[in-house]
Amino acid sequence: MTAALTTPAPPAAGRASGAPRQWRWLARLHRPALISGGALFLLVAAALVWLGGPLTDASAAAWKAYIACGFTPRCSYDQSSILLYKDVYNWTTIAVLTVPFLVAAWAGGALVGRETESGTARLAWTQGVSPARWLASRLVAPAVLTVAVTGLLTALHHWAWAVGRDRIDTTKFWHDMATFHANGTVPVGLALAGLAAGALAGLLLRRAMAALATAAVTVGVLWAAVHAAVPYLWPSVTRVSSLEEGPLGRGLLVGQGVLTPKGRAEAPCVSGGLDSCRDTLTDMGATAFYRDLHPASHYWPLQLVATGILLAVAGLLTYAAFRVLRRTTGTARG
């Protein structure tokens, strides 16, 4: 326990004026990060608008010309527009999915970690701002900004994807996992969890680089957990098909196999039209294929349940951060 972290009660006048001063101080202290982050946001947003507008139109026209000439090698069409659309889509998707990591790294490395390491936080606590108010100012305004930025980027990504969905043959399916996440609310919940994780890491470690790395790793772990859990967050539907047809149904796959008199079993092969596969399935006593999946109508239920879980995690991490702050400073005053 560091004795210097214990702070006296702020004066009454300081409590009354502490919040406005904290917002100004916060903006001034983190101006470089806000400027660079704002520039990155504008760049990605502009790329998404370009993707959903001129790039989609050019790529759709190229696909229309390619289809009209019968997919022959001698077709004259704008292949570069198709390839450019694909590249920009992939890069903007990566950019949107990177936002939660950037938020966590900023929160751990600069927003809280650097201030606790350099002593700026302790200075603020002696200038009429209680530790609880100091931490609240490091979470509330950044949380609002995080929701606005991440929400707008995912909305633009969803719009750009939807505009090209029925016009460009190589558009990703809704259940492609990168597209699934970038099109919805999961990045918003994950970014808020990253913000809280960064604040907690900064308070616990009091080292900017260590807190940055810890927060980024935490977001990676949360993302992996969400990715693994998504198929099971909502009841799936089952499609049953004959052995000749093979497994049918398109969507987010949960599982598939064959039905036998004893129940479900793993399918050793999925092409009942082939003699070798048909013989194998007959020996098993298989009567049909089944496929458990989520159709497109399950997209938003899956998104909202996953986001709700992430928001609960963010709330728990925030509560833990305030508890750590109270223990290390010996005060609970707000």
Side-chain angles (χ1 to χ4, degrees):
M1 192 77 64
T2 304
L5 285 178
T6 302
T7 180
R15 279 198 292 265
S17 60
R21 284 194 304 168
Q22 277 299 293
W23 305 130
R24 292 194 298 269
W25 190 4
L26 186 64
R28 187 162 56 246
L29 189 63
H30 298 284
R31 185 180 301 167
L34 293 174
I35 292 174
S36 59
L40 181 61
F41 163 74
L42 291 175
L43 178 63
V44 176
L48 287 168
V49 171
W50 182 39
L51 176 70
L55 270 184
T56 294
D57 293 339
S59 183
W63 272 108
K64 186 176 181 180
Y66 185 50
I67 293 171
C69 69
F71 304 100
T72 63
R74 296 181 180 179
C75 283
S76 176
Y77 67 100
D78 188 6
Q79 185 182 31
S80 61
S81 293
I82 294 175
L83 296 177
L84 182 59
Y85 173 90
K86 180 180 178 181
D87 289 341
V88 174
Y89 181 87
N90 288 337
W91 282 111
T92 51
T93 300
I94 292 171
V96 171
L97 298 180
T98 302
V99 170
F101 291 93
L102 296 179
V103 171
W106 176 55
L111 193 62
V112 176
R114 189 177 68 182
E115 292 198 39
T116 54
E117 180 179 10
S118 65
T120 307
R122 291 190 293 274
L123 175 62
W125 301 341
T126 62
Q127 299 298 313
V129 178
S130 71
R133 285 186 182 230
W134 171 85
L135 181 56
S137 70
R138 266 68 184 161
L139 291 174
V140 175
V144 172
L145 187 62
T146 295
V147 170
V149 168
T150 313
L152 183 55
L153 288 180
T154 55
L156 283 173
H157 189 281
H158 191 281
W159 165 76
W161 170 80
V163 166
R165 178 176 47 186
D166 298 323
R167 301 169 60 194
I168 299 173
D169 286 21
T170 52
T171 303
K172 297 288 187 180
F173 292 117
W174 71 267
H175 51 84
D176 171 78
M177 267 305 169
T179 297
F180 175 90
H181 290 306
N183 273 353
T185 55
V186 165
V188 178
L190 195 61
L192 289 174
L195 177 67
L200 178 59
L203 290 170
L204 285 172
L205 302 175
R206 295 185 224 162
R207 294 291 184 273
M209 293 306 298
L212 183 155
T214 301
V217 169
T218 300
V219 169
V221 171
L222 286 175
W223 202 304
V226 168
H227 178 80
V230 157
Y232 310 100
L233 297 180
W234 197 259
S236 61
V237 299
T238 301
R239 300 280 188 259
V240 177
S241 54
S242 67
L243 297 179
E244 290 73 23
E245 292 174 310
L248 297 179
R250 174 175 290 177
L252 180 60
L253 183 65
V254 178
Q256 64 181 20
V258 292
L259 300 177
T260 70
K262 296 181 179 180
R264 294 185 171 196
E266 184 178 349
C269 54
V270 293
S271 182
L274 298 177
D275 291 341
S276 58
C277 184
R278 185 167 52 250
D279 293 342
T280 300
L281 295 175
T282 299
D283 292 340
M284 291 178 61
T287 58
F289 282 106
Y290 76 88
R291 176 172 283 173
D292 295 330
L293 53 84
H294 293 286
S297 60
H298 287 192
Y299 176 78
W300 283 113
L302 290 170
Q303 278 281 336
L304 295 176
V305 172
T307 304
I309 293 172
L310 288 170
L311 291 178
V313 172
L316 290 173
L317 291 172
T318 301
Y319 174 76
F322 276 98
R323 292 289 296 178
V324 168
L325 183 67
R326 177 180 179 179
R327 188 181 72 245
T328 55
T329 60
T331 178
R333 284 184 298 273

